[in-house]
Amino acid sequence: MTLIDLFLQTMETTLPVFAMVFIGLGLRRIGWIDNAFVNTASALVFKATLPTLVFLSIIRADLDTAFNPGLLVFYLVATLGSFAITWLWARWRVVREDRGVYVQGAFRGNCGIVGLALAANLYGDFGLSAGGILLGLVIISYNILSVIVLVAYQPGQTTDWTKIFHDIIRNPLILAVFVAIPFAALDISLPGWVMTSGDYFASLTLPLALLCIGATVSLSAIRSDSKTALGSSLFKMVILPALCTAAAWLAGFRGSELGLMFLFFASPTAAASFVMVKALGGNDRLAANIIALTTLLASITVTLGVFVLRSTGLI
């Protein structure tokens, strides 16, 4: 296979995901979808269709393959390292009031939607099942670290660990993972009609979620922003994915495991970061601009990253 053929094959994996994002952007601009649609669809995805997708993918999985403690431990260490590196850089280069937003934007990826969609396109059922298990760790670590860094730079804010704990244990995605693992471990089968109906329902997840991501991107906001958003975005989409993927390769990860981690490392900034910044009284415009910039950059950086890893035979 020539490099051109390999690049075209890579685009067939990544472009369907980002095409849906740009379709959402276009539909919002022509007025076919609005805030009410985005809010309703996002709630449906988060509370119902995405947990269903994760649940079904895990109960169909071979846990011996999908559940990899070494991968989970490495991803947690890489997340903590990314968080520390970005925070140290922000203390040197970013004004104090924007440091928390900058750091959160640089390390908190949208693994639940974009990362999982890319994993499903690249690795099928393994991508969904292993990605779903990894997602449980991602949700817990990202939420805790985000609160820590945002509260550190917001005057008058305190960390309510009880609320954080309750939010985590009630998160529908984490509940789906914990409910699904016993089904998979004990090889419990559900009736065929339940599985088919579940598949219909779960199939709504990725198109709806990606359309909503595109609909929330604001091009006008990007044009009015400073270099702070660009700096955080480059950390998120270029520097940290390169460092973390190289570290994973040095640690001995290869093939689908390395590819899955790269896709999660390289996911654009999570939309939930905006909600958390706004709730804590931070610079929500900066948070929104980082989300928009990383989402637009992802179509280029993820495609090139997958191409490089494939052409070198690493995934």
Side-chain angles (χ1 to χ4, degrees):
M1 181 180 293
T2 66
L3 284 178
I4 293 177
D5 292 335
L6 187 58
F7 185 70
L8 292 176
Q9 187 183 75
T10 300
M11 291 180 68
E12 289 178 1
T13 300
T14 60
L15 287 192
V17 173
F18 296 111
M20 292 301 296
V21 173
F22 287 109
I23 289 172
L25 175 61
L27 292 177
R28 177 61 183 271
R29 289 181 69 86
I30 64 176
W32 287 12
I33 58 179
D34 56 14
N35 280 332
F37 172 87
V38 171
N39 291 337
T40 302
S42 297
L44 177 64
V45 167
F46 176 70
K47 295 177 180 178
T49 67
L50 182 55
T52 302
L53 178 67
V54 170
F55 175 81
L56 293 177
S57 64
I58 291 175
I59 67 172
R60 287 180 171 134
D62 176 5
L63 279 189
D64 291 337
T65 303
F67 182 72
N68 186 331
L71 185 148
L72 295 175
V73 170
F74 180 86
Y75 196 90
L76 177 60
V77 172
T79 298
L80 294 173
S82 300
F83 179 73
I85 290 170
T86 313
W87 198 341
L88 287 172
W89 178 264
R91 286 172 60 89
W92 180 43
R93 301 289 293 180
V94 181
V95 295
R96 179 178 174 81
E97 59 268 24
D98 288 340
R99 286 176 192 167
V101 181
Y102 181 98
V103 174
Q104 184 190 215
F107 88 90
R108 185 175 187 172
N110 193 346
C111 304
I113 302 299
V114 178
L116 208 58
L118 290 166
N121 269 15
L122 192 58
Y123 295 119
D125 287 341
F126 170 80
L128 283 172
S129 56
I133 293 171
L134 182 56
L135 196 56
L137 173 68
V138 165
I139 292 168
I140 295 171
S141 58
Y142 283 4
N143 275 284
I144 291 174
L145 295 176
S146 293
V147 170
I148 289 172
V149 75
L150 289 172
V151 168
Y153 294 106
Q154 296 305 316
Q157 295 290 347
T158 57
T159 305
D160 187 348
W161 292 110
T162 302
K163 182 179 183 303
I164 294 171
F165 177 73
H166 286 164
D167 287 344
I168 288 172
I169 63 173
R170 291 181 300 180
N171 187 293
L173 298 176
I174 291 180
L175 291 175
V177 172
F178 281 111
V179 171
I181 287 177
F183 276 80
L186 300 174
D187 199 20
I188 299 173
S189 299
L190 296 176
W193 69 268
V194 173
M195 297 295 290
T196 301
S197 299
D199 286 335
Y200 288 160
F201 190 59
S203 67
L204 297 172
T205 301
L206 299 179
L208 270 181
L210 295 169
L211 285 176
C212 290
I213 289 172
T216 58
V217 172
S218 172
L219 297 179
S220 59
I222 294 173
R223 288 194 292 266
S224 65
D225 196 35
S226 67
K227 63 181 181 181
T228 305
L230 180 60
S232 180
S233 300
L234 290 176
F235 249 105
K236 181 70 197 73
M237 301 312 301
V238 180
I239 298 171
L240 293 179
L243 290 176
C244 292
T245 305
W249 177 77
L250 291 173
F253 291 98
R254 301 288 188 275
S256 56
E257 293 176 350
L258 182 63
L260 175 64
M261 284 197 285
F262 167 74
L263 295 175
F264 272 46
F265 290 139
S267 294
T269 303
S273 63
F274 172 82
V275 177
M276 189 169 286
V277 169
K278 197 168 184 66
L280 292 175
N283 187 344
D284 55 346
R285 193 191 78 167
L286 175 60
N289 291 336
I290 293 170
I291 294 167
L293 273 172
T294 55
T295 302
L296 295 177
L297 283 171
S299 60
I300 299 171
T301 57
V302 174
T303 301
L304 290 177
V306 172
F307 172 68
V308 169
L309 292 172
R310 274 183 160 178
S311 62
T312 53
L314 297 180
I315 66 172

